[in-house]
Amino acid sequence: MAFMEAENDNTRGGEEEEEEADAIVKTCVLGGFSESGETKTLISSLPEVHEDQRAMEGAMEKFRVIMDRYQEQPHLLDPHLEWMTKMLLNFTRSENSPASLVHLSFKFLFVICKVRSYKVFMQLLPHEVADVHPVLELISRQDPEDLETWETRYILLLWLSMGCLIPFDLYRLDGHLESEGVRIREPIMDRILTVAKTYLLVGDSPRNAASVLVSKFMTRPDVKQKCLGDFLDWSLATVSRTNAHSMREIMELDGVLQSLAKLFKHGKRDDLLQYAPVVLRCLEQKRLLESSEAKLRKINVKLIQRLGLTFLKPRLAAWRYQRGSRSLTANLTATHTAGAAGAAAAGAAAAEKEMQEEDEDYDIPEEVETVIEDLLIGLKDKETVVRWSAAKGIGRVTGRLPKELADDVVGSVLDCFSFQETDNAWHGGCLALAELGRRGLLLPSRLTDVVPLIIKSLTYDEKRGACSVGSNVRDAACYVCWSFSRAYEPKELQPFVTQIASAMLITAVFDRNVNCRRAASAAFQENVGRQGTFPHGIDILTAADYFSVGKISNCYLNISVYIASFPEYTKSMIDHLISRKINHWDSAIRELATKALHNLTPQAPDYMATTVLPQLLTTAVGVDLLGRHGAILACGEVTHALYKVALQTNRTVVDIISPECVDALKNIHNVLHERKQYRGFGGGLMRPAICSLIEKLSVSKMPFKSDPIIAGWQWIIDDTIKNLHLFSSGRKGGIIDDVVTALSALCEEYYQDKTNQADAEIQDALISQYLEGLNSSLLLTRCGSARALGCLPRFMIHSKLKQVFEGLQHMCAVSQKEGKFTEARRDAVASVAQVFMKAGVRPDGGPDSVLCSENIAEVMGFLLSSLNDYTSDSRGDVGAWVRKAAMTSLKELTLMVASSSPEILSSNLVKSMMRCLAQQAAEKIDHYRAHAGKIFLLLLHSTQPVVPHIPHKEELLIIFPVETITSLNWNAPSQAFKYIAQLLGLPEYQYHTLLGLSVSVGGITESTVHHSSQSLFVFLKGIQNDSDALTQFAQTLLRIFRDNRHNDRVSVSLLKMLSQMLANNIFEIFTKEEDHWVCMELLDLCKEFRRSKDVNKLCACIDVFCGLIQFQGDVRKKVLSQLLLMLCHPFPVIRKATSSQMYEMLLTYDDVTDPDVLDDVMTLLSDTEWDKNITTVRTHRNQLCDWLGVPRKQPAGPPQVS
């Protein structure tokens, strides 16, 4: 983009403020080339590494990484470039250097060239007479088609370019070319020309270096006399014969055009003028501006502008505008003396006279018109690089034209700013104006035409399909404003200051694109500094600087309010939001704009009430869908803001808003309903918009009580809840939020009588309707009904509390059993808490009105049961949504009860809650573990109120000191499990904590498995030698196993955890006792899984069986019997896994079988193909039974589901 190219240090960066800040810090810390010593060592090691391909690639990559760090600050390398280049060139010059070392050295040189740019790098290359022959010989020996050594050819071509600068005729270097009349060697001039022509036609980067060689070689006095004409003939012939249909031809054309562009740039005008018309005609015939290749169009524009400069005499236009002092200090202090002004006036008069004399005796060639026409076409190109090149060409060529012709060019540029033109033309026009202004070629007399166009460009935004174009136009317009601040005296821009300042601030605050906001902020800053006439410039800059405008919500909701506090900008900002933003294609911008209007209303309440609101009301019932949506939202926000303004002066909102506006606000719903605009695609926008309007009008206490419009509002709310399934999935969540917010506000304002009681008829109708909706077959209707019940005000649920709770409870119980409607259960659980929070707590109250001693156990029990919702579907563990809502609800109700009536919180309820929270805090999903952990700590450390009856509270406070509330990152497994595992030592928490940990230890996420198992084994190692503690732990483990043996979610993870525990010899003290009861029970439980069809469960069982072999007694025979049965399992993969695990088991426990047969057993296990036919396998299995002393087993029936 234009502005960023002109002001890299101010506007370069990514989309996020934090990332850019980090990048800036990293860049700024580079104070010098700190890797100098490392680089010297690396270059010195090249003779040792060049023969080893791996070492060579490593050295190359290391050097590239070092150098790439200085891409943003390459000048830091300048003090070190000479010795680096010299060391590498020494390798290339040495006759003893092998080819691989030479090529590697050139690769290093190319990296330096890439980072520092070829123009600076070329100056480091030696250009003595003695270097010309060796370089020419070396490049002559290169293969232009070798893809591995292109860096060598690139650097050699640059080196040869420097060699062409020697101040001697090249024929002096030829020596004796003939011997006895026989030609033995070409002249150096011809050889260099041949090399240049060869590499201009290649397809890789040396083509670019060859164009540099041409520009240096062809501009030599001796060469241009002999070769320039022939070279141009060859170039034009090449251009004419290539069709640019294949990539090869495109590359050839690109190389030739590059060489011509550089040649006309560096060559003398007198030498090239005679050839310029021919070259221009060739380009016109080629019609490259119509090419599909952007690089060809760009180089064509570049060459055409060079031809234009060749046609025109090199001169500095005397008529150009010249600004005097450009000192920031002078601008800010405005200390321009009268003497300086007089001198400037005298200078201007002399310049005017000189200009008139020059214009009279200067004829403009006809070809210039063609050049300018092509450049103007280039301004409208679809590629930015082409437009940018054309804009610079316009600036350069115009600077050599007489005043009248230059003014015609400016007029042609202004024609780009037509609404019949595309965004490309607008962008190109902005770039051209910036170039003209920067060079003083846009005279102040033209500002009256230019400024209105630039202001339009600052807000240019054209809708294309589902999005829009124009961000590049707005960015370029900021560049124009930036360039004008440097180009003109403050007095020239003074008439336009208010317009320009307002337009730039609007872009800086309200533009959707972060780059445009930052560009406008930087341009405004430049104008404040250079012009010194922008109203409140310094104050605004402190609030709207480059980083502050990075976050769009901050711009709309905060910065805009501050800027609007200055009267010069208030109305322009409001008008812009009304005209350009509430009808924006992006719904997020529309919503932000309406909130911004709310915040800006206190700055101009009368203007809002008398001018803005009537405009919005007209748009709110207009034809444009997006405008209608934004206007309805804005009507609500502005009305609510006016209500707040009225409150401050003890008035009502109808005292500020006219009766016509009040009627129009009331009738918006009726108009939309009559036009059927709640249906179809538009309904997805209109329904949430009208709900937002209902909410804002309700909280603004509009006098509509007992008005028929209330029934209409209630109808749209109820109808939306019933038909949520008809809207696109992306909007459903937002629609529900808007609906329940509107319902709550509507009930609060219009359904309450003078005694603060609900209208009985309306109360019965609403609650019955929403309870019925809980049984709907549509998921979203259930969600909406549950949310609606939760949002009802207290007076609406009075005497209906029990009915509401039972309806929500019943829906959750039935849907959980069916495994459907998970989202509805989530919303129902959240609504239960909301309902009881609004109802309040009274120990001796009735269960139909408040939370009391009679219903607290049932309510808390319902929430605790919701923590066991582990429903899964194709989306994963969707039950986690319900569990999270249940945890939040438990926290809110517990704190509410503890603060007012802690006596009804029984110890059993608190104990169950804390244990369930501990279980959730030990599970595997980071987000939900963190949610549970934070609630657990909040309840533990709560002092106002104190939660009673927390079991083991003293021990918990030691494990979780108060600082862990802020310091402990529950999302990080490395931190969370270290604390959670300590709960295993507390009897009341051991069962639930181990249940949660078993899922984490036996999970599949590597980091979770690693840290959870590590923390578990740290605890187990501490009790490994404590028989009583280990026995209690084993009993808890077995109880979990028994309770969850039919629950695959737990049982598979538990088996994996158990196999790890056995592998780590956790139960070593039990293995000394023969047939220990722990082993026997584990074996019996695992035997139940043997007939499962779940491969993961079977593999985990095999691991456990192999771990149980360490126990002594008859149990070993039983374990071996189970393993041998698995060797004939119907699934080949299970047979193979069993044999592998048994082999490792026998290696680990060599006392399992008789040493005399151990080798035979091991050989049979390893050599048998256990995934072959089961009949063949059974023979080998029976042989193992005999060797291991286990009775042979009869064939089992088909596997059954466990």
Side-chain angles (χ1 to χ4, degrees):
M1 292 310 198
F3 190 83
M4 275 75 76
E5 292 179 41
E7 189 122 317
N8 269 337
D9 54 335
N10 283 341
T11 56
R12 187 189 302 273
E15 291 293 320
E16 297 298 326
E17 176 181 332
E18 294 81 9
E19 293 177 2
E20 283 205 345
D22 291 342
I24 290 170
V25 169
K26 289 178 183 175
T27 302
C28 291
V29 296
L30 297 177
F33 186 41
S34 57
E35 295 89 349
S36 173
E38 184 180 359
T39 303
K40 187 171 292 187
T41 304
L42 191 61
I43 295 176
S44 301
S45 67
L46 295 187
E48 288 79 38
V49 304
H50 72 92
E51 294 179 349
D52 184 351
Q53 182 69 22
R54 188 169 183 176
M56 183 178 68
E57 290 178 358
M60 188 68 213
E61 183 62 25
K62 190 173 183 181
F63 185 69
R64 187 180 291 115
V65 168
I66 291 173
M67 299 303 292
D68 283 349
R69 290 190 63 205
Y70 298 89
Q71 287 275 18
E72 298 294 330
Q73 294 175 285
H75 59 276
L76 297 177
L77 299 174
D78 288 352
H80 307 272
L81 289 178
E82 185 174 354
W83 64 259
M84 284 194 289
T85 306
K86 187 175 181 180
M87 288 180 67
L88 291 166
L89 288 177
N90 287 338
F91 294 140
T92 66
R93 285 169 157 176
S94 174
E95 297 180 356
N96 299 323
S97 297
S100 58
L101 176 58
V102 172
H103 289 309
L104 182 58
S105 301
F106 280 118
K107 287 179 184 291
F108 272 59
L109 287 168
F110 176 78
V111 173
I112 298 173
C113 176
K114 179 193 71 171
V115 172
R116 195 59 188 100
S117 84
Y118 79 90
K119 294 180 180 179
V120 176
F121 174 77
M122 282 177 60
Q123 301 171 17
L124 302 168
L125 296 173
H127 45 277
E128 300 173 358
V129 174
D131 292 311
V132 176
H133 266 297
V135 173
L136 188 56
E137 289 294 333
L138 188 54
I139 196 169
S140 299
R141 294 199 300 266
Q142 302 301 312
D143 179 7
E145 303 297 327
D146 188 353
L147 300 179
E148 297 294 327
T149 60
W150 62 268
E151 295 98 336
T152 301
R153 302 192 294 278
Y154 184 93
I155 300 299
L156 285 173
L157 286 168
L158 293 181
W159 196 352
L160 188 57
S161 303
M162 292 303 295
C164 291
L165 299 180
I166 58 175
F168 306 108
D169 285 344
L170 292 178
Y171 76 87
R172 294 188 179 184
L173 305 180
D174 291 334
H176 296 287
L177 297 179
E178 296 184 4
S179 177
E180 297 180 359
V182 179
R183 196 173 194 80
I184 61 173
R185 193 168 69 244
E186 274 189 298
I188 283 184
M189 189 181 297
D190 293 345
R191 293 176 65 191
I192 294 177
L193 184 58
T194 302
V195 168
K197 288 180 179 180
T198 300
Y199 284 99
L200 282 177
L201 304 180
V202 298
D204 48 8
S205 292
R207 180 180 70 254
N208 303 326
S211 65
V212 177
L213 173 60
V214 168
S215 69
K216 304 292 184 184
F217 176 66
M218 283 296 169
T219 52
R220 289 178 55 86
D222 54 339
V223 174
K224 66 186 178 185
Q225 293 177 2
K226 298 181 179 179
C227 303
L228 181 57
D230 293 340
F231 175 78
L232 289 173
D233 289 341
W234 173 85
S235 299
L236 296 180
T238 305
V239 170
S240 300
R241 70 174 171 80
T242 53
N243 296 318
H245 293 322
S246 66
M247 186 55 66
R248 181 73 181 182
E249 290 185 335
I250 290 172
M251 295 302 178
E252 291 177 0
L253 196 54
D254 177 64
V256 173
L257 292 175
Q258 276 196 62
S259 66
L260 289 174
K262 286 187 170 63
L263 183 57
F264 277 90
K265 177 180 179 180
H266 297 290
K268 292 182 179 180
R269 178 176 180 268
D270 295 338
D271 299 330
L272 297 170
L273 182 58
Q274 57 181 319
Y275 304 109
V278 181
V279 176
L280 183 62
R281 282 197 299 272
C282 180
L283 293 178
E284 289 297 308
Q285 293 170 4
K286 195 66 179 175
R287 303 173 69 89
L288 287 175
L289 283 174
E290 300 174 7
S291 171
S292 60
E293 286 293 321
K295 65 165 64 177
L296 294 183
R297 299 199 303 275
K298 177 191 173 183
I299 196 64
N300 177 68
V301 167
K302 189 180 289 290
L303 177 53
I304 283 176
Q305 66 170 281
R306 295 297 172 191
L307 290 171
L309 295 175
T310 304
F311 288 125
L312 297 168
K313 292 180 181 179
R315 65 175 191 139
L316 202 58
W319 55 265
R320 75 190 190 284
Y321 177 81
Q322 299 182 59
R323 180 174 180 178
S325 170
R326 298 201 179 194
S327 167
L328 287 175
T329 305
N331 290 327
L332 293 173
T333 56
T335 56
H336 296 286
T337 63
E352 180 72 20
K353 183 177 180 181
E354 180 186 354
M355 175 194 69
Q356 292 174 356
E357 293 175 356
E358 287 189 9
D359 286 351
E360 288 174 358
D361 61 2
Y362 184 40
D363 294 328
I364 303 299
E366 295 180 359
E367 290 86 355
V368 173
E369 183 177 351
T370 303
V371 169
I372 294 175
E373 182 180 350
D374 287 346
L375 292 177
L376 289 171
I377 294 173
L379 287 180
K380 303 176 183 180
D381 194 89
K382 62 182 179 180
E383 293 293 336
T384 301
V385 290
V386 181
R387 299 194 295 270
W388 184 232
S389 182
K392 289 188 285 188
I394 289 286
R396 289 168 179 151
V397 172
T398 305
R400 296 188 181 184
L401 293 174
K403 181 179 179 181
E404 290 77 12
L405 294 179
D407 192 64
D408 291 342
V409 173
V410 173
S412 299
V413 171
L414 294 182
D415 290 340
C416 292
F417 298 90
S418 165
F419 283 101
Q420 282 76 38
E421 297 286 358
T422 65
D423 60 298
N424 296 329
W426 281 68
H427 181 245
C430 286
L431 296 180
L433 287 179
E435 282 296 309
L436 292 170
R438 193 169 63 87
R439 297 169 183 270
L441 305 176
L442 193 62
L443 298 178
S445 59
R446 273 289 191 176
L447 288 178
T448 53
D449 301 323
V450 170
V451 170
L453 296 176
I454 297 306
I455 290 173
K456 288 181 181 179
S457 301
L458 283 169
T459 56
Y460 184 90
D461 195 20
E462 292 293 320
K463 194 170 185 300
R464 293 270 180 88
C467 58
S468 71
V469 295
S471 61
N472 59 341
V473 177
R474 301 192 297 275
D475 175 74
C478 294
Y479 174 45
V480 176
C481 295
W482 177 87
S483 66
F484 281 7
S485 70
R486 291 170 166 247
Y488 297 104
E489 292 281 356
K491 65 179 181 181
E492 307 291 355
L493 289 180
Q494 184 64 46
F496 313 102
V497 160
T498 303
Q499 301 175 56
I500 295 174
S502 297
M504 278 197 290
L505 287 175
I506 285 170
T507 304
V509 175
F510 294 139
D511 200 283
R512 181 176 180 271
N513 188 283
V514 65
N515 287 333
C516 293
R517 295 198 302 274
R518 286 175 165 169
S521 174
F524 185 83
Q525 178 179 348
E526 191 74 18
N527 275 273
V528 170
R530 299 282 178 184
Q531 295 292 313
T533 56
F534 277 40
H536 312 286
I538 299 296
D539 295 333
I540 291 173
L541 278 178
T542 59
D545 61 19
Y546 177 83
F547 294 106
S548 299
V549 299
K551 191 174 182 181
I552 192 168
S553 59
N554 183 50
C555 291
Y556 271 81
L557 305 182
N558 300 319
I559 299 176
S560 65
V561 178
Y562 177 76
I563 296 174
S565 65
F566 302 109
E568 294 89 344
Y569 306 112
T570 307
K571 290 186 179 180
S572 62
M573 296 181 74
I574 293 173
D575 291 341
H576 175 78
L577 291 173
I578 297 299
S579 62
R580 304 303 297 267
K581 288 299 184 284
I582 64 167
N583 58 356
H584 196 271
W585 62 269
D586 187 348
S587 61
I589 297 297
R590 296 198 297 273
E591 292 168 8
L592 279 173
T594 59
K595 293 175 182 176
L597 284 171
H598 175 96
N599 293 347
L600 293 177
T601 298
Q603 307 291 343
D606 294 336
Y607 182 68
M608 285 290 195
T610 59
T611 304
V612 172
L613 191 56
Q615 292 179 26
L616 292 174
L617 288 168
T618 302
T619 310
V621 291
V623 177
D624 178 45
L625 172 63
L626 302 182
R628 192 164 67 242
H629 175 251
I632 293 173
L633 292 174
C635 284
E637 293 287 354
V638 171
T639 303
H640 188 210
L642 290 172
Y643 164 74
K644 293 179 180 179
V645 171
L647 275 183
Q648 296 173 0
T649 55
N650 295 321
R651 294 182 294 171
T652 62
V653 66
V654 293
D655 295 332
I656 299 179
I657 301 176
S658 66
E660 294 79 10
C661 290
V662 173
D663 291 337
L665 285 169
K666 182 171 63 174
N667 290 326
I668 289 176
H669 162 71
N670 292 331
V671 173
L672 297 180
H673 185 47
E674 289 170 5
R675 295 179 182 173
K676 299 181 180 179
Q677 289 174 333
Y678 289 130
R679 299 182 181 181
F681 173 77
L685 291 175
M686 290 300 99
R687 287 175 182 265
I690 203 68
C691 287
S692 175
L693 180 66
I694 293 170
E695 179 216 348
K696 297 302 180 183
L697 295 182
S698 298
V699 297
S700 300
K701 302 188 182 300
M702 296 295 284
F704 299 152
K705 203 161 190 176
S706 302
D707 193 288
I709 193 61
I710 302 301
W713 287 354
Q714 185 64 56
W715 173 84
I716 189 61
I717 289 172
D718 296 340
D719 188 68
T720 302
I721 291 175
K722 291 177 183 176
N723 295 292
L724 280 167
H725 62 285
L726 299 177
F727 304 110
S728 61
S729 57
R731 293 179 181 155
K732 291 172 184 174
I735 292 176
I736 293 179
D737 292 339
D738 291 328
V739 166
V740 297
T741 306
L743 177 62
S744 178
L746 183 68
C747 293
E748 194 74 50
E749 181 61 26
Y750 299 113
Y751 291 161
Q752 192 172 194
D753 60 22
K754 294 179 181 179
T755 61
N756 296 330
Q757 299 296 316
D759 184 307
E761 184 180 348
I762 295 176
Q763 181 188 27
D764 291 339
L766 286 183
I767 290 181
S768 299
Q769 177 181 330
Y770 297 140
L771 287 175
E772 183 181 346
L774 293 177
N775 300 317
S776 171
S777 60
L778 300 173
L779 168 65
L780 291 172
T781 300
R782 289 194 177 205
C783 292
S785 299
R787 299 269 311 264
L789 288 170
C791 79
L792 293 175
R794 180 176 182 177
F795 64 87
M796 289 293 290
I797 58 175
H798 185 71
S799 74
K800 300 286 184 180
L801 185 59
K802 186 175 181 180
Q803 184 182 357
V804 171
F805 172 63
E806 288 176 351
L808 294 169
Q809 185 183 31
H810 176 73
M811 188 270 287
C812 288
V814 173
S815 64
Q816 184 172 357
K817 188 175 181 180
E818 297 173 351
K820 299 188 297 183
F821 304 118
T822 308
E823 295 92 331
R825 291 200 302 281
R826 173 200 63 199
D827 293 337
V829 168
S831 293
V832 165
Q834 293 173 15
V835 165
F836 282 100
M837 291 287 290
K838 291 174 182 175
V841 185
R842 197 166 68 244
D844 57 348
D848 210 21
S849 300
V850 293
L851 185 63
C852 59
S853 56
E854 291 185 36
N855 61 7
I856 187 171
E858 186 179 5
V859 174
M860 299 290 278
F862 164 71
L863 295 177
L864 289 170
S865 67
S866 299
L867 288 175
N868 294 320
D869 191 328
Y870 287 92
T871 305
S872 295
D873 61 14
S874 59
R875 296 169 292 180
D877 182 11
V878 292
W881 303 336
V882 183
R883 300 199 300 276
K884 181 180 180 181
M887 288 186 278
T888 304
S889 299
L890 281 168
K891 176 197 71 173
E892 292 173 348
L893 290 182
T894 301
L895 292 175
M896 180 184 72
V897 174
S899 64
S900 58
S901 304
E903 64 273 14
I904 66 173
L905 270 178
S906 67
S907 59
N908 287 334
L909 284 178
V910 177
K911 179 170 67 175
S912 299
M913 177 181 64
M914 297 300 288
R915 290 192 300 194
C916 289
L917 287 173
Q919 176 185 335
Q920 297 300 317
E923 293 206 350
K924 60 184 178 181
I925 304 179
D926 293 346
H927 175 71
Y928 300 104
R929 180 177 67 246
H931 191 68
K934 290 173 183 176
I935 292 176
F936 186 90
L937 292 187
L938 178 64
L939 296 177
L940 175 63
H941 291 283
S942 177
T943 55
Q944 305 235 344
V946 176
V947 179
H949 311 305
I950 295 179
H952 301 292
K953 186 169 184 178
E954 292 76 15
E955 293 90 334
L956 289 175
L957 290 173
I958 295 173
I959 296 172
F960 298 102
V962 68
E963 56 267 19
T964 56
I965 296 176
T966 55
S967 64
L968 177 54
N969 181 8
W970 288 95
N971 281 300
S974 58
Q975 295 186 38
F977 287 111
K978 290 190 295 187
Y979 290 90
I980 284 296
Q982 298 179 55
L983 298 182
L984 293 170
L986 307 178
E988 293 290 351
Y989 296 97
Q990 190 176 73
Y991 179 92
H992 289 80
T993 304
L994 185 58
L995 177 58
L997 270 175
S998 64
V999 178
S1000 297
V1001 175
I1004 57 175
T1005 305
E1006 183 179 355
S1007 61
T1008 303
V1009 171
H1010 171 71
H1011 293 293
S1012 59
S1013 57
Q1014 188 180 52
S1015 300
L1016 173 64
F1017 292 133
V1018 168
F1019 168 78
L1020 291 176
K1021 293 292 183 183
I1023 65 169
Q1024 191 172 12
N1025 298 317
D1026 186 340
S1027 179
D1028 293 338
L1030 194 59
T1031 300
Q1032 182 185 359
F1033 178 85
Q1035 290 172 343
T1036 304
L1037 179 65
L1038 289 168
R1039 185 153 64 96
I1040 294 173
F1041 213 153
R1042 284 191 293 270
D1043 293 345
N1044 295 278
R1045 62 183 182 275
H1046 299 304
N1047 182 356
D1048 285 351
R1049 182 188 67 86
V1050 177
S1051 60
V1052 175
S1053 298
L1054 197 59
L1055 286 169
K1056 291 180 180 179
M1057 182 182 74
L1058 187 56
S1059 67
Q1060 290 188 50
M1061 293 168 65
L1062 292 169
N1064 283 275
N1065 299 318
I1066 298 301
F1067 301 115
E1068 186 175 3
I1069 62 173
F1070 294 160
T1071 61
K1072 299 175 183 176
E1073 179 183 337
E1074 292 194 1
D1075 298 332
H1076 194 279
W1077 63 269
V1078 172
C1079 179
M1080 299 300 291
E1081 289 203 33
L1082 284 174
L1083 180 60
D1084 291 340
L1085 289 168
C1086 290
K1087 283 165 63 176
E1088 297 183 25
F1089 299 142
R1090 201 185 68 222
R1091 290 184 174 272
S1092 172
K1093 283 186 176 181
D1094 187 341
V1095 173
N1096 288 329
K1097 184 183 286 188
L1098 291 170
C1099 290
C1101 272
I1102 294 168
D1103 291 341
V1104 173
F1105 285 143
C1106 291
L1108 290 175
I1109 205 71
Q1110 62 188 282
F1111 285 84
Q1112 303 294 330
D1114 294 339
V1115 70
R1116 275 194 171 181
K1117 296 294 183 184
K1118 296 179 180 179
V1119 171
L1120 286 173
S1121 176
Q1122 296 301 316
L1123 287 170
L1124 291 168
L1125 280 172
M1126 301 298 276
L1127 281 175
C1128 281
H1129 194 277
F1131 295 168
V1133 66
I1134 299 301
R1135 300 198 295 271
K1136 196 169 182 179
T1138 305
S1139 66
S1140 175
Q1141 292 298 321
M1142 283 188 68
Y1143 187 90
E1144 294 180 11
M1145 176 193 74
L1146 293 172
L1147 284 176
T1148 306
Y1149 305 104
D1150 54 3
D1151 60 338
V1152 172
T1153 187
D1154 189 343
D1156 295 337
V1157 298
L1158 180 60
D1159 290 341
D1160 296 331
V1161 171
M1162 301 284 280
T1163 302
L1164 186 60
L1165 284 172
S1166 60
D1167 292 349
T1168 303
E1169 296 183 8
W1170 294 98
D1171 53 354
K1172 294 297 184 182
N1173 185 277
I1174 195 167
T1175 305
T1176 306
V1177 168
R1178 186 175 289 113
T1179 304
H1180 298 297
R1181 193 279 309 271
N1182 291 338
Q1183 180 63 58
L1184 287 174
C1185 289
D1186 296 339
W1187 282 339
L1188 296 173
V1190 177
R1192 295 186 179 189
K1193 302 295 180 183
Q1194 297 300 319
Q1200 299 173 1
V1201 179
S1202 172

